[in-house]
Amino acid sequence: MIASDLNLYNTADRAVSKFVPLSAGKVGIYLCGATVQAPPHIGHIRSGVNFDILRRWLTAIGYDVTFVRNVTDIDDKILHKAVHEEIPWWAVAMKYERAFSDAYAALNVLPPTYEPRATGHITQMIQLMEALIANGSAYAPGNGDVYLEVRKLKSYLTLSNQKLDDLQSADDADLTYKKDPRDFALWKAAKPGDPSWPTPWGDGRPGWHLECSAMAHAYLGEAFDIHGGGLDLIFPHHENEIAQSESAGWKFANIWMHNAWVTTSGEKMSKSLGNSLQVMEILKKVRGIELRWYLGSAHYRSMLEFSFEALEESSVNFRRIEGFLQRAKELLKREIEPSISAQFAAAMNSDLAVPQALADISELVRIGNSAITENNLDAIAKSASEVRGALSILGCDPFDPVFAGSNNAKTEILDGLIALALEQRTAARARKDFAASDAIRDSLTALGITIEDTPTGSRWTVN
RNA sequence: GGUCGGAUGGCCGAGAGGCGAGGCUCAGGACUGCAAAUCCUGCUACACGGGUUCAAAUCCCGUUCCGACCUCCA
């Protein structure tokens, strides 16, 4: 596989350009993960899915990928939640970190190479602050906070293309200690009752921005290839990461990639929508592989307008593809070997043009289904291989053990029982006793089992 | 106020100057004992007004509407 044709969009220059790794054959990615203060909704997980597809593609074209996704396990909201739920802050963080892990697993998002927690990297954060204070970029005014002095930066706000003076200043900016209202906190002084860690400037806890710079540096070094996150992180979070990291003399991220939102009624999802769009709620209605297919089907930089109708349509589309692969496997009497078609590679290399890839997959399925009708095994195998290869990059391979049914022993028993019923039905059809054969089919349909008569015999699927 | 994005057929969703991506729904057909599945055919769209061009959904100017960020955000 030739890895040199990949083109990616870089938020920093707002253009698609050829991807050149900093170190040949290797890619380092840092993705801003969750602040674990509530169960994940599909917007959170779309980000995970989008970057999982990127990671799988980079791996497929031959890169050795180091993928880091952090967990922010200390922040204001977690502390508020702890008070509200009357449990310790670390219990809140653990509870929701697990909820995210479960959701990622249910959607076949591969575990990151490293998944650092903020609270495990206080030492690295203090070292970074010491360096920033030593070189005059940051200051500790004596109240326990530590701020970065943004006026001193020559290239602040270049990612979001804003001017410092155009920013609306916060109403609650406290200039008692800040030199400028837009200076941001690297470190926050401890309030009574809050968790804290000792520093040379007093006890406190990390600011949100500082942790990502420190962790990205710890696992990927002073410069790495791709930094990802949601569109809403561009400002302030990613600008501030750049500010801290460049002030420390690090080159930091080479390319910035941002995924768009899942929207409802044209608006960004928010908590006011309640629980209905939480991942685990939606998984009561569709399978994980179908939710992933839906979330991954739009281009990662396009807004995805969520509706249950669209989700259902997407599931129907997926079942057609899945049905083809199942039939192909039965006819070929062997596992389908995944392969990557030239069209799929071209689409993915074009800034992960998944919608184009999906159109190509549909065409392959159509060709493959026609090959089944003609019983052309070579053509079936070719289509099926390319479909499976594409699906595996998209994380939606129906034969992936992650998505496999749970209980094999029970499946075997079911298989035997239905085979028995189908034998009866085939016999009835042979003697043209259609009343009897239809009665058997109706009974199975009522149980949620669909019967299809094919030239090579009857097959069944569970709805 | 500053910055950024969007408006495409009944619905979802690509494309970014030149044969109307693809999916879903619906209608008709083939196949089938009837179905199911599959295949074939049909449903000819790009917010509005100008302009550039042989040619505009795509480029330019203007307008309307929708949304995001501006120190909690995927």
Side-chain angles (χ1 to χ4, degrees):
Chain A
M1 187 67 64
I2 298 162
S4 61
D5 295 330
L6 177 62
N7 290 276
L8 293 173
Y9 182 87
N10 182 0
T11 305
D13 51 28
R14 302 187 192 281
V16 175
S17 53
K18 184 174 167 177
F19 174 71
V20 181
L22 297 176
S23 175
K26 293 181 181 174
V27 180
I29 304 177
Y30 185 92
L31 173 64
C32 284
T35 299
V36 285
Q37 48 93 18
H41 59 60
I42 52 174
H44 294 121
I45 233 68
R46 181 193 186 189
S47 181
V49 168
N50 286 157
F51 284 97
D52 189 53
I53 291 171
L54 169 66
R55 177 195 187 173
R56 286 171 188 260
W57 182 240
L58 287 166
T59 303
I61 58 180
Y63 286 110
D64 176 12
V65 180
T66 302
F67 189 94
V68 180
R69 186 185 65 217
N70 71 296
V71 174
T72 297
D73 60 344
I74 180 73
D75 108 317
D76 287 342
K77 283 190 172 179
I78 292 170
L79 300 178
H80 291 151
K81 201 89 171 198
V83 172
H84 186 251
E85 295 192 7
E86 299 180 333
I87 54 176
W89 66 272
W90 65 80
V92 172
M94 191 74 252
K95 176 178 163 182
Y96 294 117
E97 183 182 324
R98 288 215 171 113
F100 270 84
S101 295
D102 290 347
Y104 286 130
L107 294 210
N108 196 20
V109 174
L110 296 170
T113 316
Y114 309 114
E115 192 168 13
R117 296 187 185 115
T119 55
H121 299 78
I122 302 293
T123 303
Q124 288 86 341
M125 295 181 211
I126 292 174
Q127 285 169 350
L128 174 53
M129 284 192 287
E130 282 175 333
L132 292 173
I133 289 175
N135 73 18
S137 304
Y139 57 99
N143 65 339
D145 287 350
V146 179
Y147 301 112
L148 197 82
E149 191 169 358
V150 297
R151 285 253 172 227
K152 283 191 174 171
L153 302 168
K154 48 192 178 300
S155 62
Y156 191 48
L157 305 181
T158 50
L159 186 63
S160 59
N161 193 29
Q162 298 178 98
K163 295 192 182 85
L164 194 59
D165 292 326
D166 288 338
L167 295 182
Q168 287 181 351
S169 53
D171 298 334
D172 58 352
D174 182 358
L175 291 179
T176 315
Y177 298 102
K178 281 188 179 180
K179 294 182 182 176
D180 184 289
R182 286 153 297 209
D183 289 351
F184 62 89
L186 300 173
W187 191 259
K188 297 178 177 182
K191 293 182 191 130
D194 280 357
S196 67
W197 289 260
T199 76
W201 317 284
D203 292 354
R205 59 189 175 83
W208 178 37
H209 315 302
L210 182 71
E211 56 185 75
C212 282
S213 287
M215 288 188 278
H217 178 255
Y219 293 93
L220 296 170
E222 294 191 0
F224 54 96
D225 297 287
I226 299 170
H227 191 130
L231 211 49
D232 45 358
L233 298 185
I234 293 174
F235 182 86
H237 186 51
H238 289 163
E239 292 286 11
N240 290 353
E241 280 188 54
I242 292 169
Q244 295 158 351
S245 303
E246 291 188 353
S247 294
W250 306 338
K251 282 201 67 182
F252 212 54
N254 191 31
I255 295 175
W256 289 85
M257 294 179 69
H258 294 94
N259 65 279
W261 298 290
V262 176
T263 57
T264 51
S265 305
E267 294 183 18
K268 183 181 172 185
M269 284 178 52
S270 68
K271 288 225 189 61
S272 61
L273 295 164
N275 301 330
S276 61
L277 299 181
Q278 286 176 9
V279 173
M280 288 306 166
E281 289 302 309
I282 292 179
L283 288 181
K284 292 174 182 171
K285 296 180 170 138
V286 298
R287 296 176 295 159
I289 197 170
E290 290 170 345
L291 179 55
R292 176 165 177 137
W293 181 256
Y294 175 65
L295 292 176
S297 65
H299 188 87
Y300 75 93
R301 287 191 284 117
S302 295
M303 303 291 173
L304 177 61
E305 171 67 16
F306 178 84
S307 72
F308 284 101
E309 292 75 17
L311 174 59
E312 177 55 27
E313 284 179 7
S314 171
S315 298
V316 170
N317 171 229
F318 182 73
R319 284 179 219 133
R320 170 173 168 260
I321 298 164
E322 189 179 30
F324 162 64
L325 287 179
Q326 297 284 3
R327 288 190 295 277
K329 183 183 171 185
E330 290 165 18
L331 292 169
L332 294 169
K333 298 184 174 66
R334 58 177 166 82
E335 291 299 316
I336 294 164
E337 190 67 31
S339 66
I340 301 298
S341 71
Q343 290 100 316
F344 183 77
M348 294 305 283
N349 279 336
S350 176
D351 193 32
L352 308 179
V354 174
Q356 179 60 54
L358 261 44
D360 295 336
I361 291 169
S362 281
E363 176 71 2
L364 285 172
V365 169
R366 190 183 61 74
I367 291 168
N369 276 325
S370 296
I372 287 176
T373 304
E374 294 157 13
N375 200 33
N376 181 341
L377 293 180
D378 288 343
I380 295 169
K382 182 172 189 296
S383 288
S385 288
E386 294 184 347
V387 171
R388 189 181 181 196
L391 259 53
S392 76
I393 299 298
L394 299 175
C396 292
D397 177 3
F399 303 126
D400 190 319
V402 169
F403 295 123
S406 49
N407 200 321
N408 285 330
K410 277 186 185 168
T411 304
E412 271 182 36
I413 294 169
L414 187 65
D415 207 26
L417 285 170
I418 294 176
L420 205 59
L422 288 180
E423 264 176 45
Q424 299 295 313
R425 180 167 170 271
T426 302
R429 291 179 70 212
R431 62 176 186 268
K432 303 217 186 294
D433 182 356
F434 297 121
S437 72
D438 288 354
I440 292 169
R441 185 171 64 193
D442 290 347
S443 300
L444 291 171
T445 302
L447 293 169
I449 293 161
T450 303
I451 304 303
E452 296 168 27
D453 297 328
T454 76
T456 51
S458 299
R459 63 190 296 274
W460 61 277
T461 47
V462 178
N463 295 345

